[in-house]
Structures are given as C-alpha cells and as structure tokens.
C-alpha cells in the first residue's frame, strides 16, 4: 500500500493507471466523497502490494533492494530509474512486493516461514479460498514483514452507539476501553452503561479494558484524587469495587487515569498503583495507566508532576502515553498530535519505561479554529471525512507541515470568517506508525472512537499484525 499526494490538474483515472490500480478501488479505500473532485494536497491511499521508501543519506539501491528482499531490476523498472547509481537524498521509491512460485510439496506454512510472514497474511493478500489446496506453479504475492503490536481504542459513546463503533473496527483492536468509571469520595464508582460494548468486544475477540478516573467535564478531580490517595482504607474499598465490576462484566484489564494530581500526591499515587497490582495480579487481571505527555522527569504543571514515568513503567503491565491535544480546543490552532512533540515524549519515555510496555496515543479527530484566535474561543471538533468535505466545499488547498507531519488548510466561510483546520491524513498516520516501528513500541492507543478515518485503519493493518488475545 502506498500514498499519493494529489497535484494540480490530476484526475483519479490517471493516478490509478500510474500505479496499476483502478478508480473504484482507490475511491472505496479512501471513501472519497466525489471521485471526480480531488483536492490539491489531498493524500490518497493506493491499495497495491507495494511500499514506499524514502532514500536516506549514503543509501545505495543495492542496500534498499536487500532490505526489502526484492531484486534491483524490479525497483529500477517500477520507478523508471534512468541512473540507478545516482539516488538523490529524499527520493521516494516504490518498492514492489515479493512474489513466490509454489513448488511441488510446498505448504503455505513453509512459504510463510521462509519469508518471515504468516499463513493468514498470505491467505488474505492472495484471497486464497482453501489454504490446503495451492496448485504447483501458483504465483503468490508475499506480504512485507510486519511487527506484531497491541492496539487499544477508548470510546466515550456508550450503549449501542459504542457497541456499533466497536463492531465496525474490532478487527483492528486488541483492547477497547469504555471511558470511564468516575470514582467517588467514598470509594464507590459512578455506573456506566457498558454491557453492549463489552458484548461487541467479545464478539470481535477484543479484550475489554475497564477505565477509572478522578475527573469529569465539570471537575478537574484534584481534590478527589487527594482524598482517595491519602486514605489507604478508601483505596482498598475502591479496588474492591473495581474488582467486583471486573468480575461481573468480564473486564480483563484495569486502566487507571488519574489526572490533575498534586505533586505532593505523587508518591501516594505510585503506592496506590502497587496496591492495585497486588490485588489484581493474583486474580489474573492486568494493570495499565494513562500518562500525560512528559519530556523530562522535572516537567512542571499539574498535568505532569504526579505522573512518575519510571514508577508507572516498573509497576504497571503497560502504559498509554496521551500524546495528543497540543492543538487544544480552547487554544490557538496547531497540529493536535504533532510528530516532533510526540517524538520528544517518546525519546524521554523509553529511557525510563520498557519499550514493550508503551502504547503511543493517536487522536482520531480534526479541529476547525476561527482565526485570528481569540482567547477562550472554542474550536469545532469533527472527523477526518468532514475535514475533506470542508476543503472540497470551500475550494481549499491542503498544505502539510513537515515538522509536525500534519496536514492543514485555511478557508473563508459564508460570513466572511477565516478558518484554520488541522487534521490527520494518510501521510501523518504513516509517520506515526513509522515512529512506533522506529522505537519498537508495544503499540498504539486511539482517542477516541466515533470519528471515521478509513485511511487510518487500512494503513494500520498494512503496517502491523494486530495481536488478538
């Protein structure tokens, strides 16, 4: 699967011919609103068995061919390279998939082992009806090797709405986390209607993860966190209530999300996590935590100070880094999940948390700010498809911030107001997946379901094997 950025004057039929695809496949993969109207700067996923490689300093074509296990000639032909010995830094090469001709006596398992992939991946890519009947001489397309990761998604839509969202994307998820049970001062929890979500998760072989938190839309939760964390008896009562719900509703993992906690409660928070693990592990349950995006242990501010990365990494089974919300709805317009900022957080995190315990946060929504920004003015939040819809409606050109690795555009509405929209596209999603692979992280955690982003799920599956438990 590769990504094409639309240039001025291009039409979908020409793009399809260039890559050996067809209009209907590209349109369906990207859920295009109107295949006859493309936007300059729009990123399209092209559903072909290929990868893209950006030439780095000192690389030779032979090294690139060796890396992907394909022939030099195949890369030269596909990219129409006039001088293969003169590769320019930053050149984007299309790497063709490997192929294998089935020999007498070979099984799919043997072929998968040879190429470092799985039988399931070969069956899916080649649309094989009966894996036990592969005729000798059949030419199989071999998937590129992919790391195995865990994928979590939070959902704030409960009842049947949340269940429908889980059913739609459940094949791409390891866990789903209904958000959230809010704790009370007496150690009890406000109930939520999560049974339909749990049933949908189980039907899709997705593990339900219970989330508890101290904050709400009307209360930052600082005082509540202090009340709980300063009283061991309340903590035990809270954990007993948690375990009762996990037993009753068949949750397997607890996700603790304490936010806006005082710095003076930091050690008490660490001790509570240890107390939680001591209660959960003997019952076969696991613990995860949600962490604010820090770049150092000394980072100040009520969002950060009580989140002890080293302690969470040592105590919890895994953590979710909340690497989003730089483009805050009440702040000035900017990328919501800028890659340069995410990288800084991950670079710090891996120094104190095992990499195989880190899920990188990834937001699934776009934002539209009125500009110039006025303090306190709230941006509108919507899905990526709506972002494309607005760019089409107002004739905008999509631009791409290379530092943040995020797309954006500006437009003027019917009232003459200027707007700036930041969203995600195939390029920015791929950049985030590359970050996960670069650092060898445990996986990805999405905030939040309910915002359609079809390109994301296609690319997620193209880059990774999603673990099912």
């Amino acid at each position: 699967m590769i990504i094409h950025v639309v240039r001025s004057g291009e039409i979908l039929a020409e793009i399809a011919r260039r890559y050996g695809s067809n209009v209907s496949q590209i349109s369906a993969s990207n859920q295009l609103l109107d295949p006859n109207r493309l936007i300059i700067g729009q990123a399209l996923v092209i559903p072909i068995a290929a990868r893209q490689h950006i030439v780095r300093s000192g690389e030779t074509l032979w090294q690139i061919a060796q890396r992907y296990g394909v022939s030099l000639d195949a890369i030269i032909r596909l990219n129409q390279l006039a001088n293969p010995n003169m590769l320019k830094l930053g050149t984007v090469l299309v790497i063709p998939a490997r192929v294998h001709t089935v020999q007498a006596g070979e099984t799919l398992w043997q072929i998968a082992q040879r190429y470092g992939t799985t039988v399931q991946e070969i069956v899916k890519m080649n649309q094989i009806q009966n894996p036990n009947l592969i005729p000798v001489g059949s030419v199989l397309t071999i998937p590129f090797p992919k790391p195995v990761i865990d994928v979590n998604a939070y959902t704030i839509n409960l009842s049947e709405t949340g269940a429908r969202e889980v059913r739609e994307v459940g094949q791409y998820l390891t866990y789903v986390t209904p958000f959230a049970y809010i704790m009370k001062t007496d150690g009890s929890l406000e109930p939520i209607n999560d049974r339909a979500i749990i049933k949908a998760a189980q039907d899709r072989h997705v593990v339900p993860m219970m989330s508890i938190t101290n904050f709400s839309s009307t209360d930052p939760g600082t005082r509540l966190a202090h009340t709980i964390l300063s009283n061991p008896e309340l903590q035990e009562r809270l954990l007993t209530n948690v375990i009762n719900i996990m037993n009753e509703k068949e949750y397997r993992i607890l996700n603790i999300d304490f936010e806006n906690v005082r710095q003076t409660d930091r050690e008490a928070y660490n001790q509570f996590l240890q107390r939680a693990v001591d209660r959960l592990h003997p019952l076969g349950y696991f613990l995860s935590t949600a962490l604010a995006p820090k770049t150092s242990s000394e980072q100040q501010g009520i969002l950060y100070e009580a989140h002890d990365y080293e302690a969470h990494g040592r105590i919890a089974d895994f953590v979710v880094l909340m690497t989003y919300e730089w483009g805050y709805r009440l702040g000035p317009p900017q990328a919501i999940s800028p890659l340069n900022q995410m990288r800084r957080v991950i670079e710090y995190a891996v120094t104190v948390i095992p990499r195989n315990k880190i899920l990188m946060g990834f937001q699934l929504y776009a934002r539209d700010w009125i500009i110039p920004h006025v303090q306190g003015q709230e941006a509108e939040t919507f899905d990526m498809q709506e972002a494309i819809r607005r760019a089409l409606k107002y004739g905008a050109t999509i631009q791409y911030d290379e530092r943040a690795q995020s797309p954006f555009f500006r437009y003027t509405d019917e009232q003459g107001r200027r707007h700036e929209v930041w969203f995600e596209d195939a390029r920015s999603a791929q950049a985030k997946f590359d970050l996960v692979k670069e650092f060898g992280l445990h996986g990805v955690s999405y905030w939040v379901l309910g915002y359609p982003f079809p390109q994301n799920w296609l690319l997620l599956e193209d880059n990774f094997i999603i673990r099912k438990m």
Side-chain angles (χ1 to χ4, degrees), residues 61-79 81 84 93-99 144:
L61 199 60
W62 183 85
Q63 290 171 327
I64 296 168
Q66 289 293 302
R67 173 178 172 179
Y68 291 98
V70 299
S71 70
L72 276 171
D73 287 344
I75 298 176
I76 292 168
R77 282 197 308 272
L78 187 59
N79 293 275
L81 297 177
L93 296 175
V94 178
I95 310 297
R98 300 167 294 176
V99 295
F144 291 96

Side-chain angles (χ1 to χ4, degrees), residues 110-222:
Q110 290 170 328
I111 296 168
Q113 290 292 299
R114 174 177 173 179
Y115 290 102
T117 184
T118 67
V119 170
Q120 293 83 354
E121 290 291 311
I122 295 176
V123 167
K124 184 166 54 179
M125 175 161 280
N126 293 276
Q127 299 180 347
I128 295 171
Q129 299 301 314
N130 187 344
N132 297 313
L133 289 175
I134 308 298
V136 173
S138 298
V139 179
L140 301 177
T141 301
I142 304 300
F144 291 96
K146 298 189 283 189
V148 179
I149 64 165
D150 284 8
V151 179
N152 174 57
Y154 289 94
T155 175
I156 56 175
N157 294 323
L158 303 177
S159 191
E160 185 51 39
T161 300
R164 186 184 67 250
E165 293 167 0
V166 172
R167 286 193 293 270
E168 287 172 353
V169 300
Q171 71 188 87
Y172 308 108
L173 302 179
T174 311
Y175 321 109
V176 67
T177 309
F179 192 81
Y181 284 85
I182 300 174
M183 60 193 75
K184 298 180 182 179
T185 54
D186 63 355
S188 63
L189 294 153
E190 293 183 11
I192 62 174
N193 187 6
D194 52 1
R195 290 189 184 276
I197 292 174
I198 294 170
K199 176 64 167 58
Q202 292 168 338
D203 289 346
R204 290 290 190 269
H205 306 289
V206 177
V207 177
M209 181 156 59
M210 180 182 179
S211 177
I212 63 170
T213 191
N214 63 312
F215 75 96
S216 68
S217 59
T218 57
D219 182 0
T222 303

Side-chain angles (χ1 to χ4, degrees), residues 418-437:
R418 293 283 293 156
H419 292 248
E420 186 167 309
V421 177
W422 287 84
F423 65 112
E424 302 289 337
D425 67 5
R427 288 170 294 182
S428 63
Q430 184 60 56
K432 290 174 175 60
F433 297 150
D434 288 342
L435 201 61
V436 171
K437 289 188 279 191

Side-chain angles (χ1 to χ4, degrees), residues 3 5 41 43 54 90 92 334-335 337-343 398-408 410 422-432 434-435:
I3 298 166
V5 180
I54 300 174
V92 179
Q334 60 175 305
S337 301
L339 201 76
N340 56 315
Q341 299 287 12
M342 295 172 71
R343 176 180 288 278
I398 295 172
Q399 301 176 65
Y400 196 73
D401 186 309
E402 293 291 344
R403 188 160 175 261
Q405 290 287 299
S406 292
F408 69 99
R410 299 184 182 95
W422 287 84
F423 65 112
E424 302 289 337
D425 67 5
R427 288 170 294 182
S428 63
Q430 184 60 56
K432 290 174 175 60
D434 288 342
L435 201 61

Side-chain angles (χ1 to χ4, degrees), residues 225-238:
H226 177 73
T227 299
I228 298 291
L229 295 175
S230 60
N231 188 324
E233 183 181 340
L234 272 179
Q235 293 173 42
E236 291 293 345
R237 191 181 308 160
L238 173 62

Side-chain angles (χ1 to χ4, degrees), residues 283-297:
L283 299 173
Y285 294 143
F286 299 94
L287 177 73
S288 66
T289 64
L291 287 169
K294 296 177 67 167
T295 56
S296 78
S297 61

Side-chain angles (χ1 to χ4, degrees), residues 2-4 14-21 46 48 52 94:
I2 64 172
I3 298 166
H4 177 85
E14 292 173 352
I15 296 170
R17 278 195 299 271
R18 174 178 173 182
Y19 295 108
S21 183
I46 311 297
I48 62 172
Q52 285 168 311
V94 178

